[in-house]
Amino acid sequence: MCCSLAAVLGVLVHVGVTRQTVSAARDKALEQLHDATRAYEAGGALPPESALDPAALPQSLRQLALSGRRGTVVAERDGRPTMWAAAPADGRALATAVDYEQSARTITGLDNAIIGSSVLAIGGTLLVGGFAVRRVTRRLHQTATVARRISRGELDARVGDAGGAGRGASARSARLDEVATVARALDTMAGTLQAKLVSEQRFTADVAHELRTPLTGLQAASELLPEGRATDLVRERVRTMRRLTEDLLEISRLDSGSGVVETDLHRLGRVAERVVRAAGTDTEVVVVRDAHVETDRRRLERVLGNLVVNAHRHGRGPVVLTVAGPVVTVRDHGEGYPEYLLAHGPQRFRSGGAGGGGGGGGKGHGLGLTIAAGQAEAIGARLEFRNAGSGGGAEAVLTLPWPPAAGG
């Protein structure tokens, strides 16, 4: 807007001054032509710079005078700008010339001044505007970066701490502009969200810890009951409750990040076969290309075990576990994952129901896949859920960090 305003003002000043200068030169030329006309009619000598049919008279002005009209025009004469005025005189053109060089210099000087001042004004405006815009965009980029960190789970990230800015400086600037208001609102939201999540994690952990003791007693008591269908049902429910409690404790540890990752070099094919044997399920293991991976074996087995159990529980056979280098795929042939899981990932205490193709885990509560995703993240692996294209079914693809050495 400032650049446009400077350009418009420059054009207006140029047009106004040029019009005034040309008008003054024209009036002077017409006045001199009037004197020459009077002298011609009186039969006296013509004033200086006046003549009948001068050779340098522009042709357009000559034709205008011969047609019986009077007019003026600016043209070159001997390389100098000249204001010509002409009028009819007995079938000839009576013309007079006024030097226009000084007026042309005035207009040129004015144009140069307008252009110079406009360039300075536009340059200054661009520098100041660029500095202001960069300052705002830098702070917005900083705020967006912190927001992305929060979305990745870094709930302690704050705009006031990013880039070395102190909280005092952030608080002072918060009273000055809207960007600081947005940053402060983001910090407040992050703090509130962190407090709620920490409270939720603490509540989950406390509940799971409190349930372990009575469940242990229930399991011991169930072993003393007389054998029968009712006793088997009670024992199965107690075991389910214990597994659910252990899952809650594991999720609590994953959320808090308190677990330690102990890495070592392991052959992925052997780990996969061990997981299938431990699960006790009819799962086919296909090793396309074996590989050595440096990872935490316990956490890796937990991930693969949950994926295999989940495929059998919520999908349909055959279930195939495929090892192709550092990539492990667990596929069933059920109805596929539900839409919410594909869009948002596994969610706690939610399942797609029986036959949902891996919709849940942990007895349909959604804890099994949640634990698998959390453990995969802990060991630096990427876990993706998708539906198979041909033949139907669900696929869970675990991609481990590229191993330092590959073996077969």
Side-chain angles (χ1 to χ4, degrees):
M1 291 179 65
C2 291
C3 295
S4 300
L5 181 60
V8 170
L9 290 178
V11 171
L12 291 177
V13 171
H14 167 79
V15 171
V17 173
T18 301
R19 183 178 300 171
Q20 183 178 1
T21 303
V22 172
S23 178
R26 181 183 293 114
D27 291 342
K28 183 177 180 180
L30 290 175
E31 183 179 355
Q32 186 170 314
L33 178 64
H34 178 70
D35 294 340
T37 302
R38 291 178 59 185
Y40 175 78
E41 292 174 350
L46 296 178
E49 301 295 333
S50 300
L52 286 171
D53 292 328
L57 182 66
Q59 190 62 27
S60 60
L61 187 58
R62 185 189 303 276
Q63 294 297 330
L64 184 67
L66 293 178
S67 67
R69 291 180 292 174
R70 186 176 65 170
T72 60
V73 69
V74 176
E76 294 284 335
R77 186 180 68 166
D78 299 331
R80 297 167 62 90
T82 303
M83 174 67 76
W84 286 94
D90 298 330
R92 304 174 67 183
L94 176 62
T96 183
V98 175
D99 185 32
Y100 192 72
E101 185 174 9
Q102 184 60 40
S103 299
R105 288 180 180 175
T106 300
I107 294 175
T108 302
L110 176 64
D111 289 344
N112 292 335
I114 291 175
I115 293 174
S117 60
S118 298
V119 169
L120 290 176
I122 292 173
T125 302
L126 290 177
L127 288 176
V128 174
F131 173 77
V133 169
R134 284 189 60 188
R135 181 172 179 268
V136 172
T137 55
R138 183 173 63 249
R139 295 167 63 197
L140 287 175
H141 177 72
Q142 175 182 332
T143 303
T145 301
V146 173
R148 285 191 290 269
R149 289 175 57 193
I150 294 173
S151 67
R152 292 195 299 265
E154 300 180 36
L155 298 180
D156 57 343
R158 298 291 184 273
V159 180
D161 295 333
R167 291 185 180 273
S170 177
R172 288 192 298 271
S173 63
R175 297 189 294 267
L176 300 178
D177 56 72
E178 291 79 1
V179 178
T181 302
V182 173
R184 186 172 56 178
L186 179 63
D187 284 349
T188 302
M189 181 198 69
T192 304
L193 179 62
Q194 184 180 26
K196 288 184 177 180
L197 289 179
V198 169
S199 176
E200 178 185 340
Q201 294 169 7
R202 186 180 299 114
F203 174 77
T204 303
D206 291 345
V207 169
H209 277 292
E210 292 297 328
L211 286 176
R212 292 182 77 178
T213 301
L215 285 176
T216 301
L218 280 175
Q219 186 173 15
S222 66
E223 299 297 331
L224 301 178
L225 294 175
E227 297 296 332
R229 184 174 181 181
T231 299
D232 293 339
L233 180 62
V234 170
R235 290 173 180 172
E236 173 61 25
R237 295 304 181 187
V238 171
R239 284 193 295 268
T240 300
M241 287 294 294
R242 289 206 63 179
R243 283 196 297 268
L244 177 59
T245 302
E246 296 299 328
D247 287 346
L248 289 175
L249 284 173
E250 186 170 357
I251 287 179
S252 177
R253 287 191 293 267
L254 287 172
D255 288 341
S256 63
S258 58
V260 178
V261 179
E262 300 177 353
T263 61
D264 200 355
L265 199 62
H266 302 280
R267 184 175 291 231
L268 193 53
R270 292 179 181 175
V271 174
E273 293 171 354
R274 185 184 302 111
V275 167
V276 171
R277 287 196 302 268
T281 57
D282 184 15
T283 303
E284 180 184 0
V285 178
V286 178
V287 180
V288 178
R289 180 168 58 90
D290 206 350
H292 285 86
V293 292
E294 188 173 358
T295 186
D296 188 321
R297 193 188 71 179
R298 181 187 63 83
R299 292 177 183 267
L300 175 59
E301 290 178 350
R302 179 66 161 151
V303 174
L304 297 180
N306 278 20
L307 294 179
V308 169
V309 170
N310 187 80
H312 281 281
R313 181 173 295 153
H314 297 284
R316 285 195 298 268
V319 176
V320 182
L321 187 153
T322 305
V323 178
V327 180
V328 182
T329 303
V330 178
R331 177 181 177 179
D332 62 51
H333 290 75
E335 299 178 6
Y337 290 117
E339 291 299 326
Y340 82 86
L341 191 144
L342 296 176
H344 306 291
Q347 300 177 26
R348 305 173 190 180
F349 303 106
R350 178 173 180 178
S351 76
K363 290 295 184 182
H365 289 291
L367 295 181
L369 293 186
T370 302
I371 292 173
Q375 294 289 14
E377 183 179 359
I379 60 177
R382 184 175 73 253
L383 181 58
E384 300 174 283
F385 301 97
R386 63 194 184 197
N387 289 330
S390 59
E395 283 185 344
V397 182
L398 179 69
T399 305
L400 293 159
W402 192 257

